[in-house]
């Protein structure tokens, strides 16, 4: 059974940085696309960033472009989200997600593209 586990969330002041990690058990991340989504209180879960199964392509929501960076380390079986210049609007629970099928190539932006989700990690940015 595939399980995704996020870590690295916390409380940070506006302008600060955090690095989220996503690890997988029951399956390697090799050859699988991985995405980060977030959900703030009272809002829908929204796309943040994704990385293709090759690692050669990355995708970002407009709201985080230039501030967040997604990367993967297949040797560590991990995907990271480096978040810089954090803003109070970034406060949310952050989830990593991955599709069931390897070599997946799609739009990456839609929740329905992902079958496996982690439990989330809370990120709180104070003003």
């Amino acid at each position: 059974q595939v399980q995704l586990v996020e870590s690295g969330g916390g409380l940070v002041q506006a302008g600060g940085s955090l690095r989220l990690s996503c690890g997988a058990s029951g399956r390697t991340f090799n050859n699988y696309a991985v995405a980060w989504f977030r959900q703030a209180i009272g809002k829908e879960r929204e796309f943040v960033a994704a990385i293709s199964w090759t690692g050669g392509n990355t995708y970002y929501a407009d709201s985080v472009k230039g501030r967040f960076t997604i990367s993967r380390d297949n040797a560590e079986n991990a995907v990271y989200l480096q978040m810089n210049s954090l803003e109070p609007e970034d406060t949310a629970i952050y989830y990593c997600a991955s599709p069931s099928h390897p070599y997946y190539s799609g739009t990456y932006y839609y929740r329905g593209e992902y079958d496996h989700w982690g439990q989330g990690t809370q990120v709180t940015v104070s003003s």
Side-chain angles (χ1 to χ4, degrees), residues 6-126:
E6 304 92 339
S7 61
L11 173 64
V12 64
Q13 288 189 327
S17 298
L18 282 174
R19 187 196 195 205
L20 305 184
S21 299
C22 177
S25 61
R27 193 191 74 185
T28 176
F29 271 143
N30 293 359
N31 302 323
Y32 288 85
V34 179
W36 288 94
F37 284 73
R38 68 185 181 186
Q39 187 167 16
I41 294 175
K43 294 189 176 181
E44 295 288 322
R45 191 171 299 189
E46 65 176 4
F47 171 80
V48 175
I51 188 164
S52 64
W53 66 269
T54 65
N57 294 294
T58 56
Y59 308 85
Y60 297 95
D62 288 343
S63 59
V64 307
K65 209 170 288 185
R67 300 187 298 122
F68 291 10
T69 303
I70 188 171
S71 62
R72 64 190 305 150
D73 185 337
N74 288 341
E76 294 292 325
N77 201 32
V79 172
Y80 306 103
L81 185 68
Q82 178 66 44
M83 306 187 296
N84 299 328
S85 302
L86 282 162
E87 303 167 352
E89 293 73 23
D90 296 316
T91 295
I93 299 175
Y94 284 71
Y95 301 88
C96 66
S98 188
S100 287
H101 301 290
Y103 316 117
Y104 178 81
S105 180
T107 67
Y108 299 103
Y109 295 94
Y110 299 106
R111 292 174 55 183
E113 297 182 76
Y114 302 94
D115 305 292
H116 303 292
W117 295 80
Q119 82 290 347
T121 186
Q122 176 71 48
V123 171
T124 303
V125 184
S126 63

